[in-house]
Amino acid sequence: MGNSDKSVVSRLRKLIGEGHYPSGERLGEVAVAEQLGVSRTPVRLAFRTLEQEGLLQRAGKRGFMVREFTEADVHCAVEVRGVLEGLAARRLAEHGLSGALEAELQVWIQRGRDLLAKGYLEERDVDVWSELNRHFHEAIVGSAGSPVIGDAIARNNHLPFAAADSIIIDSEALDREYRKLQLAQVQHELVVQALRHGEGARAEMLMREHAFIGLRYGELLGLGSGRGQAED
Amino acid sequence: MGNSDKSVVSRLRKLIGEGHYPSGERLGEVAVAEQLGVSRTPVRLAFRTLEQEGLLQRAGKRGFMVREFTEADVHCAVEVRGVLEGLAARRLAEHGLSGALEAELQVWIQRGRDLLAKGYLEERDVDVWSELNRHFHEAIVGSAGSPVIGDAIARNNHLPFAAADSIIIDSEALDREYRKLQLAQVQHELVVQALRHGEGARAEMLMREHAFIGLRYGELLGLGSGRGQAED
DNA sequence: GATGTTGTATTTGGATCCAAAGTAAAGGTC
DNA sequence: GACCTTTACTTTGGATCCAAATACAACATC
């Protein structure tokens, strides 16, 4: 069993994310199937999954079409992630964070410090940051007491530009991105501080603000565009 | 084309919601297919949809199992809905609500007033409230500027007890439920008031608190259980 | 007697076939 | 010439068939 089902979903997700299919275009099952070299069956299964993820939407009575995202959609998706991660952080602060979790968060904090300690950013640092950032966020969301919040965030992250690790805009302008990551690092540390002191409201607001870092901090720091580009 | 696909999804959703399948039980495709009187194909499609909705989860390498929900999951799902509807309300307040929307919200407010004016609750009032409540929430969420928030709420509502219209606990104790609906009505009116005056933070908090009405208000009002029962 | 291995049965994934619904096009009528 | 009707084609949904993988069990070996 080649288990091409999962593969078809991720391949289609990638193709759509890369804009390979124009927004609003109807996707025919046969066309996609031939293009991917599989039968119609796995494509049909994948379409249902991608519909639930929000990347496809039903085109009337006739199949699916690529969902088009406006500027407002991107902005909303970022805010949704913000309030959900904020919720997770607040619950964590209110229920008290375990010593183990505090230790783990401290690890990612330290990794961030080490990464930024040298005062500039290298090409390969981007992946390192992306990793530790992902771990940091997953550690908080995963400890919120229920997988429900994490699931909601995961579904939201399927939307383009909504994921937490789509911060990096331009790997050419690493010197300018450095300041942004510095701010992100400070926000991470402040979140942990708030969590440690059981300051639920503060932790929540910090996480909500932290979500905007890839969206609104560009204009603030005088970077080119305020709008981020996904980088996976 | 009988379009049994959609039908299978909703039938399975209902069966799972009613606890027809024990939590954690593995669901075989053939068994479900025979039970529903259809082929394996629509069942396979439905399983993928229900997996994304969070009602099923993969059972190792072999098929799916009914996801089990703890008390904490239910609580989290309600909070998730709260923060998302709160986000929608805040955005609405910040961007200013149109005259048309204000008029529509006023309609549902008035319907609620009319329903509760007679001082008690009848059996058939439950459906009426459920309808106007749904319209009220959909009007706010649908006007938040992007379908992204509404989608996230819709996905969250697939979880049992998370939907906004699962307020009614017991249609036998209508006199006690009346007080709960009175509070809900007041909260609706306060939300509209806040929206009208552009009080984003207040609208957000009111919506967040409003989400708890089916969860925590029971104990407050001296009702039997604090935990709601879905009623669709 | 316990553990590892092999063989069989069950079950899922993929491909193909058939039917039905929808769409588009062509033709006819007013 | 415009609009309605009918027909043909495209496309999706459902059922069945086949292959592959996993799980279970029986057997053999240490």
Side-chain angles (χ1 to χ4, degrees):
Chain A
M1 241 179 333
N3 205 358
S4 158
D5 178 22
K6 264 281 186 186
S7 163
V8 169
V9 173
S10 46
R11 274 201 287 170
L12 268 177
R13 209 184 282 148
K14 188 176 179 183
L15 285 173
I16 294 172
E18 290 172 353
H20 194 277
Y21 300 109
S23 286
E25 177 167 312
R26 272 198 54 244
L27 283 187
E29 293 178 357
V30 278
V32 174
E34 286 176 7
Q35 195 168 344
L36 270 63
V38 292
S39 166
R40 264 184 61 216
T41 308
V43 175
R44 286 172 66 185
L45 293 170
F47 276 10
R48 299 315 191 287
T49 299
L50 293 172
E51 180 199 12
Q52 289 297 320
E53 288 185 359
L55 270 72
L56 296 184
Q57 58 185 12
R58 292 204 122 88
K61 297 279 184 181
R62 200 76 168 278
F64 295 88
M65 56 188 286
V66 180
R67 176 159 172 194
E68 32 197 349
F69 292 101
T70 65
E71 196 82 19
D73 291 330
V74 175
H75 193 276
C76 260
V78 169
E79 276 202 284
V80 165
R81 179 165 60 80
V83 297
L84 290 175
E85 291 190 336
L87 170 62
R90 178 169 56 78
R91 286 180 57 93
L92 204 50
E94 288 170 352
H95 292 82
L97 79 170
S98 69
L101 179 59
E102 185 177 339
E104 186 187 350
L105 290 175
Q106 206 56 49
V107 168
W108 307 122
I109 292 287
Q110 192 56 49
R111 294 258 180 104
R113 275 198 198 127
D114 295 344
L115 188 74
L116 299 173
K118 63 177 179 291
Y120 60 95
L121 218 57
E122 288 179 79
E123 181 76 37
R124 64 166 186 271
D125 292 338
V126 173
D127 290 336
V128 179
W129 173 267
S130 195
E131 268 297 289
L132 76 88
N133 184 63
R134 193 173 55 79
H135 281 295
F136 180 83
H137 284 258
E138 282 180 359
I140 290 177
V141 172
S143 307
S146 163
V148 168
I149 300 176
D151 290 351
I153 293 175
R155 286 192 291 258
N156 187 66
N157 282 354
H158 286 131
L159 304 182
F161 314 122
D165 58 351
S166 51
I167 299 181
I168 304 297
I169 295 181
D170 190 0
S171 52
E172 303 298 315
L174 291 174
D175 50 338
R176 294 189 294 185
E177 294 296 335
Y178 178 77
R179 293 179 61 196
K180 195 185 286 187
L181 261 51
Q182 261 187 323
L183 284 175
Q185 173 71 20
V186 170
Q187 289 171 333
H188 282 187
E189 300 197 22
L190 289 174
V191 166
V192 173
Q193 187 187 75
L195 289 176
R196 195 156 34 208
H197 292 95
E199 300 162 348
R202 183 170 169 237
E204 175 170 15
M205 287 306 162
L206 283 169
M207 279 301 262
R208 283 168 69 153
E209 182 59 29
H210 181 53
F212 279 100
I213 203 162
L215 198 62
R216 283 276 180 83
Y217 282 45
E219 35 188 282
L220 183 77
L221 296 173
L223 306 180
S225 151
R227 167 127 168 237
Q229 282 282 344
E231 45 111 12
D232 55 309
Chain B
M1 243 183 327
N3 207 356
S4 159
D5 177 22
K6 264 282 185 187
S7 163
V8 169
V9 173
S10 47
R11 275 202 286 171
L12 268 177
R13 209 185 283 147
K14 188 175 179 183
L15 285 173
I16 295 172
E18 290 172 352
H20 193 276
Y21 301 109
S23 286
E25 176 167 312
R26 270 198 58 246
L27 283 187
E29 293 178 357
V30 279
V32 174
E34 286 176 7
Q35 195 167 341
L36 269 65
V38 291
S39 164
R40 263 184 61 218
T41 308
V43 174
R44 285 172 68 185
L45 294 170
F47 277 10
R48 299 313 191 288
T49 299
L50 293 172
E51 180 200 13
Q52 288 297 319
E53 288 186 359
L55 271 71
L56 296 183
Q57 58 185 11
R58 293 205 121 89
K61 296 279 187 179
R62 200 76 169 276
F64 295 88
M65 55 187 288
V66 180
R67 176 160 171 193
E68 31 198 349
F69 292 101
T70 66
E71 196 83 21
D73 291 329
V74 176
H75 193 277
C76 259
V78 169
E79 276 202 285
V80 165
R81 179 164 60 80
V83 297
L84 290 175
E85 290 190 336
L87 170 61
R90 179 170 55 78
R91 287 179 57 92
L92 204 50
E94 288 170 353
H95 290 82
L97 81 169
S98 68
L101 179 59
E102 185 177 339
E104 186 187 349
L105 290 175
Q106 206 56 50
V107 168
W108 308 122
I109 292 288
Q110 192 56 48
R111 293 257 180 104
R113 275 200 198 125
D114 296 343
L115 188 75
L116 299 173
K118 63 175 179 291
Y120 59 95
L121 217 57
E122 290 180 77
E123 180 77 36
R124 64 166 185 269
D125 292 338
V126 172
D127 291 335
V128 178
W129 173 267
S130 195
E131 269 296 290
L132 76 87
N133 184 63
R134 193 172 55 78
H135 281 295
F136 180 82
H137 284 258
E138 282 180 358
I140 290 177
V141 172
S143 308
S146 163
V148 168
I149 300 176
D151 289 350
I153 293 175
R155 285 192 293 256
N156 186 68
N157 282 353
H158 286 131
L159 304 181
F161 313 121
D165 58 351
S166 51
I167 298 180
I168 304 298
I169 296 180
D170 191 0
S171 52
E172 304 297 315
L174 291 174
D175 50 338
R176 295 188 295 183
E177 294 297 335
Y178 178 76
R179 294 179 58 197
K180 195 185 286 188
L181 261 50
Q182 262 188 322
L183 284 176
Q185 173 72 18
V186 170
Q187 289 172 333
H188 282 187
E189 300 197 23
L190 288 175
V191 166
V192 173
Q193 187 187 75
L195 289 176
R196 195 157 34 208
H197 291 94
E199 299 162 348
R202 183 170 168 237
E204 175 170 15
M205 286 305 162
L206 284 169
M207 278 301 262
R208 282 169 69 154
E209 181 59 30
H210 181 53
F212 280 101
I213 202 162
L215 198 62
R216 283 278 180 81
Y217 281 47
E219 37 188 281
L220 183 77
L221 296 172
L223 307 179
S225 152
R227 169 129 166 232
Q229 281 282 344
E231 46 111 13
D232 56 312

